[in-house]
Amino acid sequence: MTAARYVINEIKGYHRFIKFLIFLVVASALASLVRFVFGLGATTNLNDTYPWGLWISFDVVTAVPLAAGAFTLGAIVHCFHIKKLEPLVRPAIVTGFLGYSLVCVGLLLDLGQPQRGWHVLRYWNLHSPMFEVSMCVMAYTTVLFLEFLSPVCEKFGFYLPLRVLRWLEMPLVIAAAAISTLHQSSLGTFFLIAVDKLHNLWYTPVLPLLFWMSAICAGLSIIILEATASHKWMGQPNEGVLLKTLAKILPWALGAYLCVRIGSLVFLSQGPYFDSPALLILFAIEVGIGFVLPLIMLMQSRIRNSDSRRATAAGLVVFGLVLNRFNVSMFGMMHGDKIYFPSFIESVVTIGIIAAHVLFFVLLAKYFPIFEHHPETVDYSLPDRFQKVGAVGARH
Amino acid sequence: MSTQKNPNDGNVFLIDMTKCTGCRGCQVACKQWNQLEAEKTEFFSGEGYQNPPAMSDKTFTRIKFRDYQKNGQNEFAFYKEMCMHCNEPACASVCPVGAFHKTEEGPVIYNADRCIGCRFCMIACPFGVPKYEWSKAFPLVKKCTGCYSRIKAGMKPACATACPTAISYGPRHEMIKEAERRLTMYPDRYLKTVYGKEEAGGTSVMYLTALPFDELGFKKVTLRPLPGYTWQALRLVPSVFLTVGGGLSALSWINHRKERLSRLRDEEAENTETKEDK
């Protein structure tokens, strides 16, 4: 039996939902080919008035904070030393790695000259927030890749790399948190230059700080959602006890975020807030349903202790974050009667990117030790044939 | 970013809109010098007589028409749209590969060989100047070059050369003096401001008009140079990196030490227990 037939047979055995995801990903890959043949103008609804659309607003500005779970949890577990949460770290790292890889894919589609992406490494412009974010995203994707190698090495029994990776664990966790802080906030710096374009409801000098804080909230929420979903649909163990701990941390993050948010509105106001009813409604939905409501919910232990209600609150935070990023990067930038709406191809590509994320996550969890990971059970000692090398590197 | 020592030494356009006749010689000269393709347009497709309906990758400058009533008579007012060649350009500050820079001679020029096509310059420009080649599969940004090649050769920009009445071109401090002279000589003719003297931190294109600027379609922009808005956050990057990295390193060192010590204590306690048992 050839390898191809083996793969086909394997795919035939998948659940219908997985097959549907594969279909979406293939459709999106075809749609992105159309972009390279016919150009951005023909395939997207972008124009000189709205040079950034769905691909920047979702695939970059929203996807990056949605992948913030990895660095947040890494810091909580390893730096703040709440060790019992460790079983959640590995799924978060896989999500982060997939998220960032797909951010890179989305960015390459959106660039006019993707083949010149490496120019960022050659022609530095320290004054550009985009330069800062590009460097950080490249560095952090590398860090996530290294962290992601652990389950791969475990799966194939590569003992030496596994030991190196274990030795690198702490430096990587700290690098991840520091780099993430920089680029999560610098995504907010992007919009500081849009002085007279972004509406006052969102334009504030502390936008970078707000972007960083909301990324932490979203990162924690995504972990809750993901663990609940993989328990419900993928037959993984119920991590409810651990999620309860996370749900206790989350309201603090949300509360701090809301304090800075409201403080910036009250003290750093630059102009009118009430001149556009549509934007005001968007603002109210975002802050009210996306941040205040889950804060109130998560302050009650009744809700924190219930798997489904806790997941609902986390879902609201994710909704709030997505709407916030769209408000800042898209809705808040629209003025007058000219409106941007994503084209069919833009939408297909973005849906495909989301589908790819879910698909790869499910497949990785299927073939690699992502969930079964309990560090105390992993044998980091080297087999006998490594004794000589092992003796040099033995620390523990 | 800016390589210019003193922005007042660079050359600027002083455009007196009250002297403009709307001949659009500047538009034609610009197309010719920059070898830009013609655009298929329709009369009255946009706001009025102006054609084409907007600046684009094929149109770097354009005369906007505006009709208004003066003493019961229908009159025209004009406004020449083009790159403002800011003293501290937002496009140059946000470009991740530094494809834009402000030259000593005045123009802000674009290096197409560096551009990765991210369009951040289009988001950043307060005047909406950089345009994109939307029809291409691998598009680049296009904008007025300030006729940098002509200036290097000792000539004036194409539009300034072609204009029979309205455009003067010279060092910034001289042009400001000239603008102020006209304002004091003919106070009834002009609005009492020079647009571009302070807008966005000062630009290399300055306008004199009779009508209020917003009625002519001038954008209301901040007087503060735009690069400062992002730099006030970006300059914190190194210290934030060190604070977060250092803080978390210290925190984890303390926590790991605590754990190690308590483990040692436990082991010792166990040892003494076993000794006592003996």
Side-chain angles (χ1 to χ4, degrees), chain A residues 187-298:
Chain A
L187 278 174
T189 314
F190 273 31
F191 300 96
L192 289 184
I193 202 88
V195 191
D196 299 306
K197 297 179 181 172
L198 178 57
H199 193 268
N200 298 309
L201 285 167
W202 293 280
Y203 190 92
T204 154
V206 293
L207 204 55
L209 179 64
L210 289 173
F211 263 50
W212 177 67
M213 296 177 86
S214 53
I216 290 177
C217 300
L220 293 173
S221 307
I222 282 281
I223 295 169
I224 294 178
L225 272 184
E226 186 185 83
T228 315
S230 46
H231 166 59
K232 196 167 174 192
W233 289 301
M234 290 165 66
Q236 299 301 334
N238 186 359
E239 308 279 19
V241 187
L242 305 180
L243 298 182
K244 234 189 307 184
T245 315
L246 273 190
K248 253 186 197 161
I249 303 173
L250 186 52
W252 288 98
L254 283 172
Y257 172 75
L258 279 172
C259 286
V260 178
R261 183 87 190 262
I262 292 162
S264 75
L265 282 173
V266 175
F267 298 109
L268 302 168
S269 75
Q270 296 279 330
Y273 291 141
F274 303 105
D275 53 343
S276 162
L279 292 181
L280 203 61
I281 291 171
L282 283 171
F283 177 83
I285 296 176
E286 178 208 321
V287 176
I289 300 180
F291 292 100
V292 176
L293 182 61
L295 172 67
I296 296 170
M297 286 173 77
L298 288 169

Side-chain angles (χ1 to χ4, degrees), chain B residues 10-239:
Chain B
N11 287 322
V12 305
F13 298 77
L14 176 61
I15 307 179
D16 192 332
M17 297 320 323
T18 64
K19 292 187 181 178
C20 176
T21 60
C23 73
R24 290 183 280 200
C26 52
Q27 258 178 254
V28 177
C30 178
K31 283 247 179 199
Q32 279 183 339
W33 179 257
N34 291 300
Q35 298 278 302
L36 299 173
E37 257 178 68
E39 279 183 84
K40 199 171 180 188
T41 60
E42 281 165 50
F43 224 24
F44 287 111
S45 57
E47 300 143 76
Y49 285 98
Q50 59 253 45
N51 228 345
M55 289 201 294
S56 70
D57 57 326
K58 301 184 187 80
T59 305
F60 295 170
T61 188
R62 187 175 73 118
I63 295 291
K64 282 174 93 169
F65 285 54
R66 193 192 143 72
D67 20 12
Y68 69 106
Q69 296 235 319
K70 192 178 163 191
N71 307 330
Q73 296 256 320
N74 281 335
E75 293 268 352
F76 268 131
F78 307 105
Y79 162 42
K80 182 178 188 292
E81 256 189 326
M82 63 186 289
C83 174
M84 300 289 285
H85 300 285
C86 308
N87 291 340
E88 291 183 52
C91 54
S93 92
V94 297
C95 178
V97 292
F100 291 93
H101 84 279
K102 173 86 177 171
T103 56
E104 253 177 75
E105 294 85 354
V108 173
I109 56 168
Y110 164 71
N111 182 351
D113 292 336
R114 280 194 185 187
C115 179
I116 58 171
C118 71
R119 309 188 287 286
F120 202 175
C121 48
M122 303 170 71
I123 294 282
C125 177
F127 303 104
V129 167
K131 301 294 176 191
Y132 210 52
E133 296 175 316
W134 292 107
S135 53
K136 295 191 178 171
F138 292 90
L140 288 165
V141 170
K142 291 275 181 173
K143 80 164 194 69
C144 162
T145 61
C147 284
Y148 188 59
S149 54
R150 288 177 64 95
I151 291 166
K152 278 293 206 189
M155 292 184 278
K156 282 184 180 182
C159 58
T161 311
C163 180
T165 50
I167 307 180
S168 328
Y169 191 76
R172 195 165 197 267
H173 54 93
E174 279 179 29
M175 289 295 119
I176 289 177
K177 221 180 277 170
E178 170 63 18
E180 276 158 5
R181 188 187 67 82
R182 287 185 207 174
L183 286 186
T184 40
M185 286 266 282
Y186 312 101
D188 304 338
R189 199 158 133 193
Y190 297 106
L191 209 76
K192 274 244 160 296
T193 28
V194 185
Y195 187 93
K197 193 180 162 197
E198 278 162 1
E199 272 70 14
T203 61
S204 290
V205 178
M206 296 187 298
Y207 294 94
L208 292 173
T209 74
L211 281 190
F213 292 112
D214 51 337
E215 275 185 38
L216 281 176
F218 283 81
K219 293 209 170 68
K220 197 175 152 38
V221 296
T222 166
L223 300 187
R224 206 175 124 192
L226 275 100
Y229 284 91
T230 42
W231 184 242
Q232 65 182 4
L234 271 180
R235 72 196 162 88
L236 302 174
V237 159
S239 43

Side-chain angles (χ1 to χ4, degrees), chain A residues 47 186 206 333 358:
Chain A
N47 53 44
S186 291
V206 293
M333 303 272 260
V358 180

Side-chain angles (χ1 to χ4, degrees), chain A residues 55 58-64 67 97-109 137 141 353:
Chain A
W55 289 351
F58 187 83
D59 304 358
V60 179
V61 177
T62 308
V64 168
F97 175 60
L98 284 175
Y100 274 81
S101 307
L102 292 170
V103 165
C104 295
V105 171
L107 199 56
L108 286 179
L109 287 179
V137 166
T141 309
I353 284 182

